[in-house]
Amino acid sequence: MQMNLPRDLRRRVTEQRLHRGDLVLERPCRLGRYGAGALFILAGVIANMSIYFRPTSLFNTLVMLILLVGGLGLIARALRPHPAAKSG
């Protein structure tokens, strides 16, 4: 649904949505000039990897999974928007 808004207001609304991260297709572009290219190269490298799992103990497997989930949690926490610091 296209609203009939003035051009500058439409631009400001789009910039606000981009800043909030609402436009999913624009996220790779915010990574910088070569962000989308680097993302595609990384995806190609991961797609062509051959991963082999060697037998290991249950303890080692659990340690690896716990550390993997912890690392993903730290990355997710770093990507979340943080509230602005209050100057007091």
Side-chain angles (χ1 to χ4, degrees):
M1 182 170 123
Q2 181 70 20
M3 293 191 286
N4 294 326
L5 297 174
R7 185 178 197 171
D8 60 334
L9 183 59
R10 277 194 316 241
R11 182 177 49 82
R12 278 189 286 165
V13 168
T14 303
E15 287 174 356
Q16 288 172 355
R17 289 181 64 205
L18 178 62
H19 183 68
R20 286 194 321 252
D22 290 348
L23 302 175
V24 176
L25 295 177
E26 297 292 332
R27 287 182 184 177
C29 296
R30 290 192 299 161
L31 296 175
R33 175 179 253 175
Y34 303 107
L39 190 65
F40 289 132
I41 290 172
L42 181 66
V45 168
I46 291 173
N48 289 315
M49 285 176 58
S50 296
I51 301 173
Y52 299 98
F53 293 101
R54 296 174 54 191
T56 184
S57 67
L58 177 62
F59 175 76
N60 287 341
T61 304
L62 290 176
V63 168
M64 286 188 276
L65 291 175
I66 289 170
L67 291 175
L68 177 69
V69 171
L72 292 175
L74 288 174
I75 291 172
R77 181 179 172 191
L79 293 177
R80 273 192 358 211
H82 297 285
K86 295 180 181 178
S87 58

